[in-house]
Amino acid sequence: TDRMLFGYSIPTPMFQGLNAGFILLFAVWIANIWAKRKLKGKEASSLFKMATGTMIMGTGFVFMVFAAMEAEGGGKSSMIWLVMAYLFHTIGELCISPVALSFITKLAPLKYASLTMGVYFAMTGFGNKLAGMLGEASQSMGEFTIFTGIALFCVVFGCIVLLFRTKLEKLTHGAEDDNQN
């Protein structure tokens, strides 16, 4: 990433702070979007919010595809691609994470709620392991291929969840009956 901006080199820790900064900037905005929908009588189900968040995250990887294409051509890519990827990943995360935690507590049997929550967080660890393996594979497959694959997977998976949302919501046995859109 070309970290030069107006003659100054942006320190790499600044990029790591983007996620936290975007959370502070956009958490209330995202919550207001869902709250306004509810006031209009169009409240989105948890599955809808999580599928939307997954597709938004996938869109964030499209920016990394552009960064990979630019880096292949000129050796470095503009930092705007990285900033935009963080932005979309954070907005996707804000659509998924709080909703998923709530959804788990609604669906898990009371005596297994803690275990189920632990499994949810263990999957985060598994995701980090998978990310490391994909990063390793990018040396042989190339960043373009990896980022394109992740983007496609996220968007297609989100679309599949939306396609089968009604059937999936029936499997929740009324856990969100008062939250349907």
Side-chain angles (χ1 to χ4, degrees):
T1 301
D2 181 9
R3 297 183 293 119
M4 295 302 291
L5 183 65
F6 304 119
Y8 295 99
S9 178
I10 305 296
T12 53
M14 295 293 284
F15 293 103
Q16 291 180 343
L18 286 173
N19 180 254
F22 287 147
I23 287 171
L24 291 172
L25 287 173
F26 294 110
V28 173
W29 179 65
I30 297 294
N32 279 334
I33 289 173
W34 302 126
K36 285 180 184 177
R37 281 182 57 102
K38 183 176 182 177
L39 290 174
K40 291 179 181 178
K42 298 178 182 179
E43 183 169 4
S45 67
S46 294
L47 286 171
F48 177 83
K49 292 174 186 176
M50 290 186 289
T52 301
T54 302
M55 291 186 302
I56 292 169
M57 275 191 189
T59 305
F61 280 101
V62 171
F63 294 106
M64 295 308 295
V65 169
F66 291 133
M69 290 185 335
E70 190 175 313
E72 284 177 8
K76 286 189 176 184
S77 63
S78 172
M79 72 177 89
I80 192 66
W81 301 123
L82 189 57
V83 172
M84 293 302 291
Y86 270 115
L87 174 65
F88 276 71
H89 291 167
T90 302
I91 290 173
E93 175 189 0
L94 288 169
C95 291
I96 296 171
S97 189
V99 176
L101 295 172
S102 171
F103 200 50
I104 287 169
T105 58
K106 286 178 187 175
L107 290 177
L110 190 57
K111 67 181 186 177
Y112 297 118
S114 297
L115 176 66
T116 307
M117 194 64 72
V119 169
Y120 172 81
F121 285 114
M123 290 299 102
T124 302
F126 174 73
N128 287 330
K129 174 64 176 169
L130 182 60
M133 291 166 53
L134 287 173
E136 204 173 283
S138 71
Q139 287 182 329
S140 61
M141 298 174 71
E143 287 87 2
F144 177 83
T145 303
I146 296 294
F147 291 138
T148 302
I150 295 170
L152 287 172
F153 175 81
C154 291
V155 172
V156 169
F157 183 78
C159 288
I160 289 170
V161 171
L162 287 179
L163 184 66
F164 294 104
R165 182 175 56 120
T166 305
K167 291 181 181 184
L168 291 170
E169 286 170 353
K170 287 180 184 175
L171 295 174
T172 65
H173 302 290
E176 292 194 305
D177 278 346
D178 57 337
N179 292 337
Q180 298 300 314
N181 59 343

